[in-house]
Amino acid sequence: MSENVDMNASSRKSAPSLFQKPSKRPQLELPWLEKYRPKILSDIVGNQETISRLDVISREGNMTNMIIAGPPGTGKTTSIVCLANALLGEYAKKAVLELNASDDRGIDVVRNKIKMFAQNKVSLPPGRHKIIILDEADNMTSAAQQALRRTMEIYSNSTRFALACNISSKIIEPIQSRCAILRYSKLSDKEVLERVLKVLEYEKIQNYTNDGLEAILFVAEGDLRNALNSLQATYAGFGNITAKNVFRVCDTPHPLRMKKILEFCTKADIRKAIIDLLALCKEGYSPIDMISTLFKVVRFYQMPEKMKLDFIREIGFMHMRIAEGVDSEMQLTGLIAKLCQVALKHQNQSA
């Protein structure tokens, strides 16, 4: 019995107290995307004409309702946030409402969150307005957009709306007519490379190769967000940024392997092309990634222009079928047969 008492006593001693101070956790490193997110408009990469217009608005304060449309990773949301900070300064915390319409896209959000924020009275400097930022606004339902249109009318004296979207045509015309539409385009490889090199310099990283940076640009395809995420993931996973490591992290087939398959197709050598294609399938690569990589390779491949256009058309049709869910190996081998057929047709015409 005494032994049991001693055991209980020792267990009580070793048990942690609920009132002890918890051990301080080490602070996790921020993703490079957030760590180096621009804070002012002049730091934003690319689309300089549009950024210069926003810079004029930030200086003069004559902000209108606006729609910023363009591909992902080009700085749409960042530029709106920078504009709001430039316009409102210390008042930005209480005078800016930021919502992601992918999550909050129903009519209840417009009636409750947005309308209540627009009704709130906030003391601001003369000529300044409250700002409501709606990210991914093209995902809002039609009913929510109709309610938003009415809210924009009623509170036009005190509130301005900034909508970021990928496809502006998905926003109803009554809202489009009430907004200035600014277009963003994909960033050039030069612009993406400059920012990637700056990040590597700030992080004091020298373990990278030129082909590794080329692979980052190939995978990103004008999307700076994708480029920085791929860069950080490659360095965290392997400690060295090379082309092989980048494609392993991004889980996309190496372009040289897709280029080899394309060479067989241009020679109408269907047997060798299918053998290499099935080898990629056995390695577990996704059909959608294989088609996307093949399309990028075809764009820069040296071949007759007419044949290239026919190849791109067949790849486009196959991309559509795979996107709809028909992604079997039979579809991929069927594409190879189509490409070989196109190559044979052009060879017979040239002969």
Side-chain angles (χ1 to χ4, degrees), residues 44-171:
I44 295 176
V45 180
N47 296 292
Q48 292 305 313
E49 291 186 5
T50 309
I51 297 299
S52 63
R53 293 168 66 185
L54 294 178
D55 192 38
V56 172
I57 292 173
S58 70
R59 291 198 307 268
E60 298 183 359
N62 57 345
M63 179 179 175
T64 61
N65 296 321
M66 62 177 63
I67 296 173
I68 296 185
T74 53
K76 300 187 299 295
T77 306
T78 301
S79 58
I80 295 176
V81 173
C82 291
L83 175 63
N85 291 331
L87 283 170
L88 299 173
E90 60 184 5
Y91 301 95
K93 289 185 179 180
K94 58 182 179 180
V96 176
L97 174 66
E98 186 176 357
L99 293 174
N100 192 317
S102 295
D103 302 323
D104 308 311
R105 58 184 178 181
I107 192 170
D108 292 336
V109 173
V110 179
R111 287 175 175 169
N112 298 328
K113 282 187 181 179
I114 295 177
K115 195 170 182 180
M116 286 177 63
F117 180 80
Q119 288 174 343
N120 289 339
K121 289 186 177 181
V122 179
S123 58
L124 295 173
R128 297 294 188 261
H129 305 83
K130 291 179 293 183
I131 299 175
I132 297 177
I133 301 172
L134 289 177
D135 200 5
E136 307 293 341
D138 48 349
N139 287 328
M140 292 180 70
T141 61
S142 179
Q145 291 189 40
Q146 293 290 351
L148 181 63
R149 172 190 64 83
R150 183 61 179 154
T151 305
M152 291 171 70
E153 283 182 351
I154 295 173
Y155 302 102
S156 59
N157 291 332
S158 62
T159 308
R160 294 290 183 264
F161 289 79
L163 286 70
C165 62
N166 295 329
I167 306 172
S168 61
S169 59
K170 288 186 178 181
I171 295 177

Side-chain angles (χ1 to χ4, degrees), residues 332-347:
L332 295 173
T333 52
L335 173 64
I336 296 299
K338 281 276 190 184
L339 296 182
C340 291
Q341 191 176 17
V342 169
L344 275 175
K345 175 184 170 184
H346 283 276
Q347 287 175 10

Side-chain angles (χ1 to χ4, degrees), residues 208-216 219 230 233-235 237-238 240-257 283 285:
Y208 62 88
T209 60
N210 290 332
D211 65 340
L213 296 180
E214 287 178 7
I216 293 287
V219 170
S230 301
T234 305
Y235 183 73
F238 299 98
N240 193 13
I241 300 165
T242 63
K244 182 179 179 182
N245 293 341
V246 169
F247 290 118
R248 284 174 66 187
V249 166
C250 299
D251 200 26
T252 56
H254 200 290
L256 292 179
R257 298 183 67 179
E283 292 177 20
Y285 289 111

